[in-house]
């Protein structure tokens, strides 16, 4: 059969690679025709609630009119122009907005294309800063286990070594320094005992390798892909002090946690300290177009600038793409123009109410909610394909991973729609 005789789905399954899939055994896939608000519409006309916010980015709902019209307006004016030697209003206006809402010390913005690239940029900034300061040997990183930072090489090197399959890429990945994930959960009381709060181990690893380590990178408070684990923010306050003591830069990957998802605007806001470098992506454009940025403080930016060669060695073709900048500005205006904190708090209360009953099931290990993140952790691995098979009946698209059945609903989800999502999650917990 020639490719032109194949149905859309057949063509997809025979020719298109999907995320984390086996081309020899493609998993079940829906053809999506359009989307609006919390819904995606499939080719058979079925409307499903996107309980994943399309991998956590579609915060204000699909095809949000404010964001799409910002993109349309920009498309008619200046879809793209190189950023070398040129600049434009969308980049500047977005920059002003970012400075308004992000941690105060982060004043320098590097726009890039995706979350993984923003992590690469952050790591390059750290290495170049250390070089500029004369610490030429400091090119490695420390991180916590169960982390996830993206799929490009350097980002992958600081992902959890087991789930990130480091054994598969042995020899190709940079060697990094791993410590246990912060052992005290967010909801538990903090203890200052370094043998129990994880900081003893962190100090030992950082001290032993300080002359090799450029930065300490981690997802603040919420480890997403590595297990939907919420840990105590005091760990970050104390890690900041440790990094300062040893001349190590602190990098927060807020790609998943940024823009209100946790109930704070940034997970950094749970802490009393700020990082040297922050990575933002996903919700930055409200999910409408791929975009990300890396922000840093004057110390790092000027440290690089006053060193040799001074220039920062990164500059992608689509850097500061005007369509993406316009979408991001519209998404951030939408977020801050509403009482997002109250909205996320309402979602949070309902997630607790609706999901807690699942705790009684013997196969359920834990139920956790933080902001607009709801998780049922099972005792066993849950099949995403099995959840897929129930989507039509539930009217909800859920994609569990590992042992976690979870939702990160769009903030525009109504209480009734959220009930449908949580009913779907409880059903998966019961049946899968
Ligand atoms: N960091 C974190 C914390 C993430 O959750 C993700 C994506 N899930 C990334 C980095 C990578 O972002 P992207 O997929 O846009 O490259």
């Amino acid at each position: 059969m020639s490719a032109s005789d194949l149905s859309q789905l057949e063509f997809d399954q025979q020719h298109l690679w999907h995320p984390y899939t086996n081309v020899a055994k493609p998993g079940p896939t829906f053809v999506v025709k359009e989307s609006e608000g919390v819904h995606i519409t499939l080719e058979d006309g079925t409307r499903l609630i996107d309980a994943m916010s399309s991998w956590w980015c579609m915060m204000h709902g699909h095809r949000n009119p404010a964001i799409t019209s910002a993109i349309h307006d920009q498309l008619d004016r200046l879809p793209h122009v190189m950023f070398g030697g040129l600049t434009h209003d969308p980049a500047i206006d977005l920059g002003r907005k970012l400075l308004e809402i992000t941690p105060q010390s982060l004043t320098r913005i590097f726009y890039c294309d995706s979350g993984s690239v923003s992590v690469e940029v952050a790591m390059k900034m750290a290495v170049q800063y250390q070089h500029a300061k004369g610490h030429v040997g400091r090119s490695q990183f420390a991180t916590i286990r169960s982390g996830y930072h993206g799929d490009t090489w350097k980002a992958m090197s600081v992902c959890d070594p087991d789930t990130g399959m480091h054994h598969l890429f042995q020899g190709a990945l940079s060697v990094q320094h791993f410590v246990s994930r912060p052992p005290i959960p967010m909801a538990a009381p903090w203890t200052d005992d370094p043998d129990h709060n994880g900081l003893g181990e962190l100090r030992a690893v950082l001290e032993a390798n300080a002359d090799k380590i450029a930065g300490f990178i981690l997802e603040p408070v919420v480890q997403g892909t590595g297990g939907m684990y919420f840990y105590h923010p005091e760990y970050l306050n104390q890690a900041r002090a440790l990094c300062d003591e040893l001349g190590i830069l602190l990098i927060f990957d807020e790609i998943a946690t940024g823009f209100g998802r946790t109930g704070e605007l940034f997970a950094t806001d749970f802490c009393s300290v700020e990082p040297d470098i922050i990575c933002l992506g996903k919700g930055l454009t409200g999910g409408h177009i791929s975009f990300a940025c890396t922000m840093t403080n004057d110390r790092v930016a000027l440290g690089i600038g006053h060193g040799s060669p001074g220039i920062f060695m990164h500059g992608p073709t689509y850097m500061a793409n005007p369509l993406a900048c316009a979408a991001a500005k519209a998404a951030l205006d939408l977020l801050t123009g509403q009482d997002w904190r109250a909205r996320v708090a309402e979602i949070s209360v309902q997630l607790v109410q609706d999901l807690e009953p699942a705790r009684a099931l013997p196969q359920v290990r834990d139920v956790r909610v933080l902001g607009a993140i709801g998780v049922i952790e099972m005792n066993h691995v849950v099949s995403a394909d099995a959840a897929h098979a129930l989507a039509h009946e539930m009217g909800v698209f859920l994609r569990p991973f590992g042992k976690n059945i979870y939702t990160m609903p769009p903030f525009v989800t109504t209480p009734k729609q959220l009930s449908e999502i949580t009913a779907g999650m409880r059903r998966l917990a019961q049946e899968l």
Side-chain angles (χ1 to χ4, degrees):
M1 205 190 269
S2 83
S4 58
D5 295 326
L6 299 173
S7 74
Q8 291 293 80
L9 187 57
E10 283 166 343
F11 183 92
D12 181 277
Q13 300 217 306
Q14 291 179 33
H15 296 284
L16 305 187
W17 223 309
H18 282 255
Y20 308 104
T21 51
N22 179 346
V23 280
K25 251 196 315 173
T29 308
F30 295 131
V31 179
V32 181
K33 286 299 191 189
E34 49 181 62
S35 63
E36 188 179 24
V38 301
H39 289 106
I40 51 175
T41 305
L42 310 185
E43 63 177 348
D44 65 0
T46 306
R47 272 157 49 97
L48 300 178
I49 297 175
D50 178 3
M52 316 313 299
S53 289
S54 276
W55 268 344
W56 326 344
C57 61
M58 200 63 69
M59 299 192 125
H60 311 295
H62 287 266
R63 208 144 57 83
N64 185 290
I67 303 174
T68 53
S69 76
I71 297 173
H72 279 292
D73 287 352
Q74 191 55 45
L75 192 57
D76 289 339
R77 221 168 306 158
L78 176 69
H80 184 63
V81 69
M82 63 186 275
F83 210 51
L86 302 172
T87 191
H88 44 77
D89 288 339
I92 296 164
D93 294 343
L94 174 61
R96 290 183 197 278
K97 184 75 190 177
L98 281 167
L99 285 205
E100 250 174 63
I101 63 171
T102 51
Q104 226 184 347
S105 60
L106 304 173
T107 53
R108 308 283 172 155
I109 306 164
F110 192 101
Y111 293 124
C112 47
D113 325 40
S114 71
S116 302
V117 174
S118 84
V119 170
E120 299 287 328
V121 167
M123 295 174 84
K124 278 168 88 167
M125 279 179 182
V127 170
Q128 254 194 264
Y129 170 80
Q130 298 290 3
H131 270 238
K133 290 281 157 196
H135 307 303
V136 184
R138 285 187 176 227
S139 57
Q140 299 177 351
F141 288 82
T143 190
I144 54 180
R145 285 183 180 268
S146 307
Y148 178 80
H149 299 284
D151 291 342
T152 49
W153 285 110
K154 260 299 192 239
M156 199 164 56
S157 74
V158 285
C159 290
D160 183 81
D162 299 325
T163 55
M165 296 226 195
H166 283 204
H167 62 276
L168 193 65
F169 300 103
Q170 219 170 24
L173 285 180
S174 314
V175 173
Q176 313 292 15
H177 304 272
F178 289 88
V179 295
S180 311
R181 70 180 195 181
I184 303 183
M186 181 150 196
W190 178 255
T191 160
D192 274 323
D193 179 353
D195 290 336
H196 288 100
N197 62 20
L199 287 148
E201 183 189 352
L202 181 62
R203 174 177 283 281
V205 169
L206 295 187
E207 274 181 354
N209 301 286
D211 57 337
K212 298 198 238 27
I213 295 178
F216 178 42
I217 179 168
L218 71 178
E219 295 156 278
V221 183
V222 176
Q223 288 192 300
T225 308
M228 293 287 162
Y229 171 62
F230 313 147
Y231 64 87
H232 205 294
E234 183 55 25
Y235 182 90
L236 298 166
N237 295 335
Q238 302 207 13
R240 168 80 270 181
L242 205 45
C243 286
D244 287 344
E245 187 186 320
L246 299 169
I248 292 169
L249 296 182
L250 182 62
I251 306 171
F252 283 178
D253 175 348
E254 288 239 23
I255 289 163
T257 48
F259 310 113
R261 177 58 67 186
T262 62
E264 292 289 346
L265 200 46
F266 298 97
T268 308
D269 299 336
F270 286 108
C271 310
S272 53
V273 297
E274 296 184 356
D276 294 297
I277 304 177
I278 200 169
C279 301
L280 301 173
K282 289 199 187 274
L284 179 57
T285 62
H288 284 58
I289 188 165
S290 177
F291 198 48
C293 72
T294 310
M295 296 178 67
T296 191
N297 54 30
D298 279 359
R299 175 165 75 104
V300 173
L302 296 177
I304 294 171
H306 293 149
S308 171
I311 50 172
F312 179 57
M313 292 304 290
H314 206 96
T317 308
Y318 287 101
M319 185 167 180
N321 171 256
L323 295 174
C325 289
K329 172 69 165 52
L332 297 186
D333 284 345
L334 255 181
L335 180 70
T336 57
Q338 61 177 306
D339 190 354
W340 62 267
R341 196 180 283 279
R343 186 73 271 274
V344 173
E346 280 161 16
I347 291 174
S348 202
V349 167
Q350 190 181 342
L351 283 172
V352 172
Q353 268 167 11
D354 291 2
L355 296 180
E356 267 302 320
R359 198 184 284 282
L361 296 170
Q363 62 273 36
V364 168
R365 177 150 182 230
D366 191 22
V367 173
R368 295 188 283 280
V369 172
L370 180 68
I373 310 172
V375 186
I376 301 176
E377 183 182 342
M378 308 293 288
N379 286 318
H380 58 272
V381 170
V382 181
S383 153
D385 289 356
H388 203 270
L390 289 173
H392 274 81
E393 275 179 42
M394 301 189 302
V396 179
F397 181 71
L398 285 158
R399 197 165 171 82
F401 69 80
K403 295 177 179 169
N404 296 306
I405 299 165
Y406 74 98
T407 182
M408 291 208 195
F411 295 171
V412 294
T413 309
T414 63
K416 187 169 168 299
Q417 290 163 340
L418 193 57
S419 300
E420 290 179 58
I421 293 174
T422 53
M425 291 171 69
R426 291 196 311 267
R427 178 165 175 192
L428 296 187
Q430 200 136 31
E431 295 182 20
L432 302 188

